[in-house]
């Protein structure tokens, strides 16, 4: 979740930070985009748990559904509820064309959730899900910029932003491959955890926050750099606490 929120700050830095939007308006848009990001993330997480319930009963019995802490139907209902709230929120703020990109993202997340086990293309699908989310953020921000009649180097910013999107797509896809490889390398996992007190995949995911901070810094939005750095610190501390438990 911290990396999803830091991605929101990157989109904001690319498209909204240098506009004439007031500080209050910028905070409002960051809040809206962050809420959409959180709802979408939870939807994807719950849907993935629902789809993996049979696998988890055998291989990961500590998960909530196999433990009987919550029923699979309840998890699916919660996932759909979060998705519904996200769609309603967007309908109040953005136009249908912008929302169409979001619907495409939801289809992609659904395909991944139902089809990632024993699928050699799963890492690519995961990367595409993150890239699709980043693309949606750009669509939201560009609609906001258009509504404010701002005229600055939007085309150049879009091109550079898609460079950022490509880097994240490749990184997340590669990370998914590494995650599968580490399943067969427990000694590497144990060594990493002894040094950093968190799982290596968790650490590599959190690295995206630092990556986002660098991109924001290259845009000169140094105040916004604090956001991803704080998110990295909070994510790291929470991961250590979870791992300890």
């Amino acid at each position: 979740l911290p990396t999803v929120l830091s991605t929101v700050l990157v989109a904001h830095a690319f498209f909204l930070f240098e506009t004439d939007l007031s500080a209050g308006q910028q905070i409002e848009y960051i809040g809206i985009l962050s809420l959409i990001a959180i709802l979408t993330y939870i939807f994807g997480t719950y849907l993935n748990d629902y789809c993996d319930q049979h696998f988890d009963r055998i291989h990961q019995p500590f998960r909530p559904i196999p433990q009987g802490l919550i029923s699979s139907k309840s998890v699916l209902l919660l996932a759909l509820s979060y998705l519904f709230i996200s769609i309603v929120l967007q309908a109040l703020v953005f136009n249908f064309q912008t929302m169409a990109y979001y619907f495409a993202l939801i289809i992609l997340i659904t395909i991944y959730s139902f089809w990632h086990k024993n699928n050699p293309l799963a890492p690519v699908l995961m990367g595409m899900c993150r890239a699709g989310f980043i693309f949606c953020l750009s669509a939201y921000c560009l609609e906001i910029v258009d509504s404010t009649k701002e005229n600055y180097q939007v085309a150049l910013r879009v091109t550079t932003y898609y460079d950022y999107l490509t880097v994240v797509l490749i990184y997340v896809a590669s990370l998914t491959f590494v995650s599968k490889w580490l399943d067969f390398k427990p000694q590497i996992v144990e060594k990493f955890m002894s040094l950093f007190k968190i799982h290596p995949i968790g650490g590599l995911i959190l690295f995206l926050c630092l990556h986002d901070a660098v991109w924001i810094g290259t845009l000169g939005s140094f105040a916004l750099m604090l956001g991803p750095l704080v998110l990295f610190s909070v994510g790291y501390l929470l991961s250590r606490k979870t791992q300890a438990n």
Side-chain angles (χ1 to χ4, degrees):
L1 186 57
T3 64
V4 173
L5 295 177
S6 70
T7 302
V8 171
L9 295 178
V10 173
H12 182 84
F14 265 97
F15 299 111
L16 302 180
F17 190 71
E18 293 184 0
T19 64
D20 290 335
L21 292 170
S22 66
Q25 288 175 312
Q26 294 204 26
I27 292 173
E28 177 185 351
Y29 284 125
I30 288 177
I32 292 172
L33 295 178
S34 296
L35 184 55
I36 292 171
I38 292 170
L39 292 169
T40 304
Y41 174 83
I42 296 175
F43 160 74
T45 301
Y46 281 25
L47 182 62
N48 193 69
D49 278 355
Y50 173 80
C51 294
D52 287 355
Q53 58 179 298
H54 300 298
F55 176 89
D56 289 344
R57 284 193 175 96
I58 299 173
H59 301 284
Q60 300 187 76
F62 55 85
R63 302 289 295 174
I65 294 178
Q67 284 194 68
L69 299 178
I70 188 171
S71 69
S72 59
K73 290 183 179 179
S74 297
V75 170
L76 180 60
L77 181 60
L78 285 169
L80 295 177
S81 298
Y82 284 117
L83 175 60
F84 176 75
I85 295 171
S86 177
I87 291 173
V88 170
L89 175 62
Q90 292 176 70
L92 295 174
V93 181
F94 302 112
N95 63 37
F96 179 78
Q97 179 180 349
T98 302
M99 289 183 63
Y101 299 130
Y102 183 76
F103 291 133
L105 171 63
I106 294 305
I107 292 173
L108 196 59
I109 292 173
T110 303
I111 291 173
Y112 172 81
S113 296
F114 279 93
W115 195 45
H116 70 281
K117 292 300 182 186
N118 301 316
N119 179 7
L121 296 178
V124 177
L125 285 172
M126 173 58 82
M128 290 175 63
C129 287
R130 179 57 71 100
F133 172 69
I134 294 171
F135 180 84
C136 286
L137 286 176
S138 70
Y140 299 145
C141 291
L142 288 172
E143 182 180 332
I144 294 169
V145 170
D146 183 63
S147 67
T148 60
K149 308 301 180 186
E150 293 286 347
N151 292 306
Y152 69 112
Q153 297 178 316
V154 174
L156 179 60
R157 287 294 177 95
V158 169
T159 301
T160 309
Y161 185 76
Y162 289 160
D163 291 339
Y164 164 76
L165 181 154
T166 302
V167 170
V168 174
L169 188 158
I170 295 171
Y171 183 84
V172 172
S174 302
L175 186 58
T176 309
F177 276 113
V178 171
S179 176
K180 293 180 179 296
W181 176 74
L182 284 176
D183 288 340
F184 303 96
K185 301 291 182 180
Q187 67 277 13
I188 295 179
V189 174
E190 292 175 4
K191 182 65 174 178
F192 188 95
M193 291 178 63
S194 67
L195 291 173
F196 301 103
K197 309 304 180 184
I198 65 172
H199 193 279
I201 295 302
L204 291 172
I205 291 173
L206 281 174
F207 179 78
L208 282 170
C209 289
L210 302 181
H211 166 262
D212 290 345
V214 171
W215 276 89
I216 292 173
T218 62
L219 297 169
S221 307
F222 299 112
L224 276 180
M225 284 182 66
L226 290 175
L229 296 177
V230 170
L231 288 168
F232 172 84
S233 301
V234 172
Y236 177 72
L237 292 175
L238 289 176
S239 295
R240 286 192 58 168
K241 183 177 180 180
T242 302
Q243 201 66 52
N245 293 334

